[in-house]
Amino acid sequence: MRILLVEDEAKIAAFIKRALTEKRYKVDLASDGNQALIQAEIQPYDLIILDIVLPGRSGFNLCEQLRKKKISTPILLLSVKDSLHDKVKGLNLGADDYLTKPFEVEELLARVRALLRRGRNDKLPILKVADLCLNQVTQKVTRAGKPIKLTAREYALLRYLLIHAGEIVTRTMITEHVWGEDSAAFTNVIDVYINYIRKKIDRDFKHPLIHTIRFTGYILKEPDSA
Ligand code: CA
């Protein structure tokens, strides 16, 4: 997996690059918006991590240009700006996700994994882990062939966990992607909903699929995987 990191602050760039390289991603660095555009056009990247305030050309502008040129590489925007306006603007210009500085390295890595995976999984009609199946066309969910009734919110949450099966999803990711931009879903609301779907998909089965990752979030995975 090859990632283009566009960040002009040397310290932050080095920090992110080190974290990603440790996880065996190949990372190219650009410190200028114009240079980044050229690099992204030449090299097919799997992901672009993009700071908003840059010399040459802003991250917003770069994002817009890339999408105009039909380059559909997932883009993760980074910024110190935390206003809803900037977030919405970035997403409207074609970015896929948004992370506000300062952030924990685990949060960054979770987003990176999610974006690298999303491209593949959310286009499949059937999401499946072990004997749990979610059909994105009919919106029917079954476990071991037994139909499971979910509310719309439970379905959205389970679908999100399934798209990212095998990976940790943080509560922040769930808030933003399942509850949406304008909601104030608190951690305990997410925990309550996780418990609802646990009761429906895990309680009557020998091997639970949803696991809590302490202080971080949740993972839905095959029972026998690590
Ligand atoms: Ca900057």
Side-chain angles (χ1 to χ4, degrees), residues 117-135:
R117 202 180 175 98
R118 188 193 296 173
R120 282 207 310 276
N121 284 2
D122 64 359
K123 289 176 188 75
L124 297 172
I126 292 171
L127 302 172
K128 193 173 183 300
V129 166
D131 54 1
L132 173 69
C133 282
L134 180 149
N135 186 319

Side-chain angles (χ1 to χ4, degrees), residues 7-9 51 53:
E7 169 62 83
D8 59 317
E9 285 158 76
D51 188 28
V53 183

Side-chain angles (χ1 to χ4, degrees), residues 6-9 12 31 51-55 78 80 101:
V6 191
E7 169 62 83
D8 59 317
E9 285 158 76
I12 298 172
S31 55
D51 188 28
I52 290 177
V53 183
L54 290 168
L78 297 180
V80 287
K101 297 179 198 171

